[in-house]
Each structure stands twice: as C-alpha cells, then as structure tokens.
Amino acid sequence: MTKRSGRREGSTGRRLLAVPAVLCAALTLSACGSVGGRFETAAPTTATSPAKPNRTVAQTPASEREHERILSSYGGAYDDPKLEALIGKTVDRLVAASDRPDQAYRVTILNSGAVNAFALPTGQLYVTRGLIALASDTSELSSVLSHEMAHVLAKHASIRDDKARQAAVVTRVVTDMSNDPDLTALALAKTKLTMASFSRAQEFEADGIGVGISARAHFDPYGASRFLSAMERNAALKAGKTSLDPRAQDFLSSHPATPERVQNAQNSARQFASPEGGERDRETYLAAIDNIVYGEDPSEGFVRGRRFLHPKLGFTFAAPDTFTLDNTAQAVIGVREGGTQAMRFDVVRVPAEQTLGDYLNSGWMEGVEKASTEDLTINGFPAASASASGDQWQFKVYALRFGSDVYRFIFAAKQKTTESERNARETVNSFRRLTLEEIQAARPLRIKVITVQPGDTVESLSHRMSGVDRPAQRFRILNGLDANAQVKTRDRVKIVVD
C-alpha cells in the first residue's frame, strides 16, 4: 500500500454499493497465473531485469507503455543475478528447441508475491518472484516460460484482438438494429461465449505447444502438470484463508479450470516421455532461488498474522482474533471466520479543508445515516465515524487523518451485534504509528533451502517456518509433496524464514 494519487482519486470518485464495495476481495485469476494481490505498489525505481542482456526485442510505443504499466502494477522489477542467469540459460534452451529460434525474448522478474506470468506480443515475458518461489525445479519454470512463448509464437494476442473487434462490430449492429431486449441479450451472450471459448482454446493450445518445446529442450515435460497442480493447491490454500474461493470463476471466464489444464498437460507430456523422463534440474534451481524474497515486500505494506504493517508510511493496525487479513491490489481485506463479518482498509483523497464528518456524508457510500456521524480522536489522530445500512449488511465506517492522508476503515456485518461493534472499534483503536525499532525490524520473508536431516519430518520442518499461516500445508505445497508424502534424509527442501 503506497500513496498514489491516481488510485486514490478513483476510489473517492465512485459511489460504493453496499455489499460489493466491502466484500470484493480482489481474488481473481489474471493472465496465465494463479491468485495473488497487493494493496498499492509504488512506481518502479529499478530497471527491468532481462534474462540475457544482449537479447533484442522489438519495442513499440504501445509495448513500452504496457511494460511500464506492468512494472507499476507489480512492484517494479526484482533484481537477482542468480535468477536472471538461470532464466537466461533456460530461455536459450527453449528458444533453440522452438519452431522459431529467430524469435527474441526478454524476461522481466516482477517484484510481486503473486503467482503469475504473462507475455506481450513483442516477446517480452514476465514472471513474478511468487511464481518462481512456488516452482520446485527448472522443468516447472521452463513449462511456464514455454507456455508464454507459445502465446507469442501462436500470435494469440493479435488473434484475440481481431476477435474482440469482430465481437464489438456484432454487438454494435445488434444493439443498433434491434428493439427486442431478449434478442439483444441473446446475441450479446452468444458473442461473449464465443470470446470466452476462444480464449480457453488458446490456453489449451499454449499448454500443448509449451510442453512440446520443453520436451524438445530436454526438460521433463511433466513439469507443466506438476506446476499446474501446485498452482491449484496454492489457490485452494488461499481460498481457505479468506473464505473466498478464487477458483469459483464465472462460466465465461477466459481461463479454463486448473484440473482440466492438468489433464491436458499430462496428455501432451505422454507424447514425449515417460513420467520419469526428462531433466528436472532441481538442485540447480533450488540453489538459484535460495534467499529469494517470499510473499509481500515489507516496503509496500504486509500482513503478519492479524496485523497489517506499513514501514514506509509508518503505521500499523490489528484485525480481531476471528479475522484473517489479505493485502490485495485495491485494499487490505479482512474476513471473519464463517463470512458473517468483513472489513476493508484503504487510503482516500480528502481535501484538507473538508472535515472527516463531511467526507463520510459526501455521498461516496449509499445508506449513510447522517445522524450517526461522530467526530473522534483515535490515538491522537483526527477521525470520524458513521453507520450505514444496506439490504443485507450493516456498516460502520471510520475515516482517520494520518499526516496528509486519510485512511478509511469499512466494517460490514450481516447483523449488527455487540461483537461486530466491538470488533470495529478495537480494530480502529489499534491504528498507531510504528516505532523506529518496528520499522527497522520489518524485513521480508525469504525462501531458505535446507537439507533434511535424520529425524526431520514434514511437521518438524514446517515448525521452522516463520510469518506464514498453515505452515504444514504451505511446506507441502512449496515442496511439491502431496498429503501423504514424507521428506527423505538428504533431500533439499524449501522453508520460509524471516
């Protein structure tokens, strides 16, 4: 979460509809990746990290703008020479094995804990450090890179744009010529379905092409199915944490369900090798990712248990005992166990001359009870509160001025109770400045690669994990272990440490 005027103006300019504004947790699938999110990320100050310095990719004004937007959205580039060298060698092998060895690629590692990867038509590939941390060997990473290369080789972006333009023409003609609302709705639904199916077909095609490229580069072709499974398990863990299932996609989602893709990737791999064939290159991979930053970058705000801390801006607050917190691209979202209560924390722009009480009653949220507005002081900071009502939810809203910024807490409860009121009040009252010691101690979590010793178990090793919830489940996912698998002496495994 950082201060960015454009986003803050946007959040105050929209009216908040009762439930969606509070409970939308930004747990969506984007690009070719899995789930992930951050609050707000600073404009990047670091340069991009090409996989190989002399790799030349054609630049266009549009691709440069998109590149800058991606960097801004994902926390800038992540600078790690060991990883860049590994990715560079991997891309070289994949390019040589592809049908277009003349196509140039440039890989940027993004400084984001989200699990994601995507490509621009020019050959610019992007992979987050969150995805790199989740993969267990080079063959799994190669499956991601070759999948994105396949999108470029198959010109999927151009085909999708052409299809979108055709769909726009159809939609315009139907809506302009028809006065029958049912006919119009049916035509639009068919157009949307065609677009969605087309995009799903592209994903399956890219999986198949990518598996073939990896296999011809002598990587284990089953790396794709293993990593897709890891992404699904990671998404399920995320869903359990927030009580919001990120895989519960709309039927017309542009990405197929992960189990379908796993089966498709396995079928493609069988054409090239047995399940034990191909190079995984696990030891080299683990050596390259040892000490990589894991999860959120503390400089942009991060969650530790029930507490949210922002060292750069210098504040912290704690959610109630029964809540879990998620730092998303739009806000910090909290959900109570069972889903009967939720909270949202974000930053908004309020003119210095406008009182916080006037802001709460300015119309940005529907159903505010003006008579409930109250001016407050919270830990020395000017603040105001108000109540609001919706059809199914009751709201308590706080605005708090901290320096030149105004922070907003929005609490929602299906029923207004003593507990829900206490939860809101205690959370807001926990908002305070961080001490200098706390700011200095705020360091990122990192992946540490260790060797399994005699007597070590999944349970004992997971107890060495720091700063993560459900450590045993997370340990299994990070190390590609199913529910019944055990570690073996002298195995190299990943743990999360601070």
Side-chain angles (χ1 to χ4, degrees), residues 345-469:
F345 172 81
D346 58 16
V347 59
V348 292
R349 170 168 288 182
V350 177
E353 62 274 12
Q354 185 178 25
T355 69
L356 296 179
D358 286 344
Y359 165 70
L360 293 180
N361 289 296
S362 62
W364 61 270
M365 184 176 187
E366 295 180 352
V368 174
E369 300 163 7
K370 293 187 177 182
S372 69
T373 306
E374 182 180 4
D375 292 323
L376 306 166
T377 299
I378 296 174
N379 293 330
F381 305 116
S385 69
S387 299
S389 299
D391 292 339
Q392 301 179 37
W393 295 82
Q394 302 299 310
F395 300 90
K396 188 73 174 181
V397 187
Y398 292 85
L400 184 149
R401 200 179 293 275
F402 182 76
S404 59
D405 292 309
V406 170
Y407 293 99
R408 184 170 64 183
F409 288 90
I410 305 173
F411 298 90
K414 289 204 170 183
Q415 290 185 332
K416 185 178 179 179
T417 63
T418 302
E419 183 207 22
S420 67
E421 290 283 294
R422 182 179 67 250
N423 284 342
R425 186 170 59 253
E426 291 180 353
T427 300
V428 173
N429 286 337
S430 73
F431 184 96
R432 63 173 175 81
R433 293 184 189 276
L434 286 169
T435 66
L436 179 60
E437 291 75 15
E438 287 174 319
I439 292 174
Q440 292 173 338
R443 55 182 181 267
L445 298 177
R446 293 184 181 273
I447 292 287
K448 182 176 177 62
V449 178
I450 61 173
T451 301
V452 177
Q453 302 298 320
D456 283 342
T457 65
V458 168
E459 289 69 28
S460 67
L461 292 171
S462 66
H463 284 315
R464 297 171 61 179
M465 304 259 277
S466 303
V468 296
D469 62 338

Side-chain angles (χ1 to χ4, degrees), residues 1-3 7-8 10-12 14 16 21-22 24 39-40 308 313 315 317 326-334 343-350 359 364 397-402 405-410 431:
M1 168 185 163
T2 64
K3 297 179 288 183
R7 286 283 182 89
R8 285 156 50 199
S11 62
T12 56
R14 293 189 295 269
L16 293 185
V22 179
C24 175
F39 200 27
E40 294 257 311
F308 178 74
L313 299 182
F315 68 82
F317 68 86
D326 189 28
N327 186 18
T328 78
Q330 290 76 32
V332 177
I333 301 293
M343 62 162 285
R344 175 189 175 105
F345 172 81
D346 58 16
V347 59
V348 292
R349 170 168 288 182
V350 177
Y359 165 70
W364 61 270
V397 187
Y398 292 85
L400 184 149
R401 200 179 293 275
F402 182 76
D405 292 309
V406 170
Y407 293 99
R408 184 170 64 183
F409 288 90
I410 305 173
F431 184 96

Side-chain angles (χ1 to χ4, degrees), residues 209-281:
I209 295 172
V211 167
I213 293 174
S214 288
R216 289 191 296 275
H218 304 295
F219 288 113
D220 177 15
Y222 287 87
S225 58
R226 287 198 309 275
F227 189 67
L228 287 168
S229 296
M231 284 203 299
E232 185 190 19
R233 293 174 66 194
N234 190 62
L237 185 64
K238 182 89 169 176
K241 173 186 171 186
T242 61
S243 299
L244 294 166
D245 189 352
R247 298 163 299 154
Q249 304 174 65
D250 181 88
F251 176 71
L252 300 178
S253 169
S254 62
H255 288 81
T258 300
E260 295 177 82
R261 292 185 64 193
V262 170
Q263 186 60 52
N264 181 60
Q266 288 175 339
N267 292 339
S268 296
R270 289 191 188 102
Q271 301 175 33
F272 297 97
S274 66
E276 299 304 320
E279 180 183 330
R280 295 192 180 186
D281 200 22

